[in-house]
Amino acid sequence: MARKNYSEEFRRQAVDLYESTPGATVRGIAEDLGIVRGTLRGWIDAYGTGRKTAPDGTRTSSPLRPTTATPHATVPADETPQQKIARLEAENAALRVETTKLATEREILQKAAKYFAGGDALVSRFQFVADHAATYSVKRLCELVEIERSFYYAWKASAPARAQRAAADATLQARIRTIHAADNTVGAPRVTAELNDGAPAGERVNHKRVARVMRAAGIAGYVKRRRARTTIPEPADRVVPDLLGRDFTAKAPNQRYVGDITYLPISAAAGGGNLYLATVIDCYSRRLVGWAVADHMRTELVTDALNAAAATRGSLAGAVFHSDHGSVYTSQAYADLCAALGVRQSMGAVGTSADNALAESFNATLKREVLQDAACWPDEATCRREVFRWILRYNNRRRHSWCGYTSPVDYEKNTTSTTLTTAA
């Protein structure tokens, strides 16, 4: 609990701490003591010496305890009426000067309050002094807002550099908005990759700067956090080993694949229900090499996707295909197709989505970036069209973090000399 009663010794020690600390400010000492600035100011008025220690260690007069220009002098016993009048006029003039000074200080502080309404930031103090330097002396302004003049002049000297940085940030922000307008799902890493694509070394931008500019402008990639159950595992009709062990990597294309089925919800106004997407994803590049969309979850759905992958690659002989224990993947028809294509089947544990995390992540990304805040597609035709468009962009243009922020297709071209059929 805050202390409310302070001994006279404590108050005097607080004032001595303020006056003896080089470059001390009322605000800084008050924060150290855990009291408000007004309380410390009152103690300085009551117990202060009128002197304080400057940053260089020298003793100077304190702006917080001004002294009158003409202190009260001892009145001579033989003072004549003319001398008394002169003395009183001098004291009156000193009081008028002091009153004017206090009124000016009050006026300055009233204006300063508007600058500090949103927070007592140091830059606000500098800006306040700069805006009022033509009306009041810089020395007095700095004393009243408790900043060092040297700091203010250093801030003022750096104004051209700040303006140049602000202009550069404004130009960068415009480029970021253009990229984000084309695809509002991209965040700072993908925006950085897009900005640096093909740029000379001297014109490349740092991802931290891009993140800062995006944050200041309120630009962000689309983020949707909603849990949905997309796969209902089925007991296996036969034993299939797990050949990946949650290692979703490959040394070259066309060696390891993962796949899954996800539902694509349709609006009730269009009859409701779902379409279903089956996928075949290359672990090397994260490229979607085969897929199929249908209004059912029969075995034909996954066989169509695997056949599409075989057409894309030319051959799947020797490749591993990993899936969950869905009934279509454990069917004899699917096993026969894998055998005919030379594909080795692999399956994770029953009911464990982490064993097929790569495919699950792909499904979540597709829905998040295509549906965004919508709960479903308005009709089947729109669903098929938008999913097809997104898949084309995913393979050929969307920058993937796994691929060093290049597209999966470009990643394969840049990292392997193997001749692969390029299909959308």
Side-chain angles (χ1 to χ4, degrees), residues 176-223:
I176 291 172
R177 287 193 181 279
T178 300
I179 295 171
H180 197 259
D183 180 8
N184 70 342
T185 66
V186 295
R190 289 191 175 87
V191 170
T192 304
E194 187 72 26
L195 290 168
N196 290 335
D197 188 19
E203 297 180 10
R204 296 175 66 85
V205 293
N206 184 275
H207 70 280
K208 293 182 179 179
R209 181 187 174 200
V210 172
R212 173 179 59 79
V213 172
M214 290 181 67
R215 185 166 52 250
I219 304 172
Y222 183 81
V223 178

Side-chain angles (χ1 to χ4, degrees), residues 286-345:
R286 281 21 181 191
R287 179 181 178 184
L288 183 65
V289 297
W291 74 91
V293 177
D295 59 0
H296 61 80
M297 286 184 63
R298 296 190 294 272
T299 304
E300 301 96 280
L301 177 64
V302 292
T303 57
D304 286 349
L306 193 62
N307 279 322
T312 299
R313 289 308 198 196
S315 173
L316 296 178
V320 173
F321 178 79
H322 183 84
S323 68
D324 58 28
H325 280 271
S327 59
V328 291
Y329 290 116
T330 60
S331 67
Q332 188 59 48
Y334 192 73
D336 292 343
L337 176 61
C338 288
L341 295 174
V343 173
R344 292 185 295 161
Q345 281 189 271

Side-chain angles (χ1 to χ4, degrees), residues 261-272:
I261 298 175
T262 188
Y263 71 92
L264 309 173
I266 306 301
S267 170

Side-chain angles (χ1 to χ4, degrees), residues 323 403 413:
S323 68
C403 303
K413 292 179 180 178

Side-chain angles (χ1 to χ4, degrees), residues 185 190 222 224 262 357-372 390 393-394 398-400:
T185 66
R190 289 191 175 87
Y222 183 81
K224 187 172 186 177
T262 188
L358 175 54
E360 297 275 357
S361 175
F362 175 89
N363 294 338
T365 299
L366 183 152
K367 290 183 181 179
R368 181 180 68 249
E369 295 192 358
V370 180
L371 278 178
Q372 298 193 12
W390 186 86
R393 181 181 170 278
Y394 171 86
R398 183 182 181 275
R399 298 180 184 275
H400 202 300

Side-chain angles (χ1 to χ4, degrees), residues 39-385:
T39 299
L40 181 57
R41 285 180 182 273
W43 295 351
I44 293 172
D45 289 340
Y47 305 110
T49 63
R51 308 281 292 175
K52 67 173 302 220
T53 305
D56 60 2
T58 60
R59 296 283 287 179
T60 61
S61 59
S62 172
L64 301 179
R65 196 169 183 232
T67 56
T68 58
T70 305
H72 292 287
T74 303
V75 179
D78 57 347
E79 183 180 39
T80 64
Q82 291 79 8
Q83 292 174 329
K84 182 176 182 180
I85 292 173
R87 177 177 56 80
L88 292 176
E89 286 179 346
E91 291 180 358
N92 188 40
L95 289 174
R96 284 199 301 269
V97 170
E98 185 64 22
T99 300
T100 301
K101 183 178 180 181
L102 292 175
T104 301
E105 290 182 0
R106 183 168 61 251
E107 180 182 355
I108 293 173
L109 292 175
Q110 286 175 343
K111 293 179 179 179
K114 299 178 181 178
Y115 281 72
F116 304 146
D120 196 8
L122 186 61
V123 66
S124 297
R125 303 189 196 191
F126 291 147
Q127 191 61 55
F128 171 74
V129 174
D131 291 346
H132 296 83
T135 306
Y136 310 102
S137 71
V138 170
K139 178 181 178 181
R140 193 64 185 140
L141 288 168
C142 290
E143 288 175 345
L144 290 176
V145 298
E146 299 179 3
I147 59 174
E148 295 295 333
R149 274 187 294 169
S150 59
F151 294 167
Y152 164 71
Y153 285 122
W155 174 84
K156 187 176 180 182
S158 65
R162 290 198 307 275
Q164 186 177 5
R165 286 196 300 270
D169 284 351
T171 301
L172 178 60
Q173 183 187 126
R175 295 175 62 195
I176 291 172
R177 287 193 181 279
T178 300
I179 295 171
H180 197 259
D183 180 8
N184 70 342
T185 66
V186 295
R190 289 191 175 87
V191 170
T192 304
E194 187 72 26
L195 290 168
N196 290 335
D197 188 19
E203 297 180 10
R204 296 175 66 85
V205 293
N206 184 275
H207 70 280
K208 293 182 179 179
R209 181 187 174 200
V210 172
R212 173 179 59 79
V213 172
M214 290 181 67
R215 185 166 52 250
I219 304 172
Y222 183 81
V223 178
K224 187 172 186 177
R225 295 179 175 87
R226 184 179 64 179
R227 299 182 64 183
R229 192 179 185 190
T230 58
T231 301
I232 301 176
E234 295 287 345
D237 295 332
R238 56 194 179 82
V239 177
V240 177
D242 184 349
L243 301 178
L244 298 191
R246 299 187 183 181
D247 178 12
F248 303 111
T249 63
K251 295 182 179 179
N254 203 24
Q255 291 183 348
R256 288 181 164 189
Y257 293 94
V258 297
D260 193 16
I261 298 175
T262 188
Y263 71 92
L264 309 173
I266 306 301
S267 170
N274 300 306
L275 291 180
Y276 299 92
L277 169 68
T279 57
V280 181
I281 305 167
D282 195 315
C283 291
Y284 175 75
S285 62
R286 281 21 181 191
R287 179 181 178 184
L288 183 65
V289 297
W291 74 91
V293 177
D295 59 0
H296 61 80
M297 286 184 63
R298 296 190 294 272
T299 304
E300 301 96 280
L301 177 64
V302 292
T303 57
D304 286 349
L306 193 62
N307 279 322
T312 299
R313 289 308 198 196
S315 173
L316 296 178
V320 173
F321 178 79
H322 183 84
S323 68
D324 58 28
H325 280 271
S327 59
V328 291
Y329 290 116
T330 60
S331 67
Q332 188 59 48
Y334 192 73
D336 292 343
L337 176 61
C338 288
L341 295 174
V343 173
R344 292 185 295 161
Q345 281 189 271
S346 170
M347 292 185 184
V350 175
T352 304
S353 61
D355 286 351
N356 202 20
L358 175 54
E360 297 275 357
S361 175
F362 175 89
N363 294 338
T365 299
L366 183 152
K367 290 183 181 179
R368 181 180 68 249
E369 295 192 358
V370 180
L371 278 178
Q372 298 193 12
D373 291 326
C376 58
W377 279 272
D379 52 65
E380 290 188 7
T382 301
C383 176
R384 290 176 182 273
R385 183 168 54 250

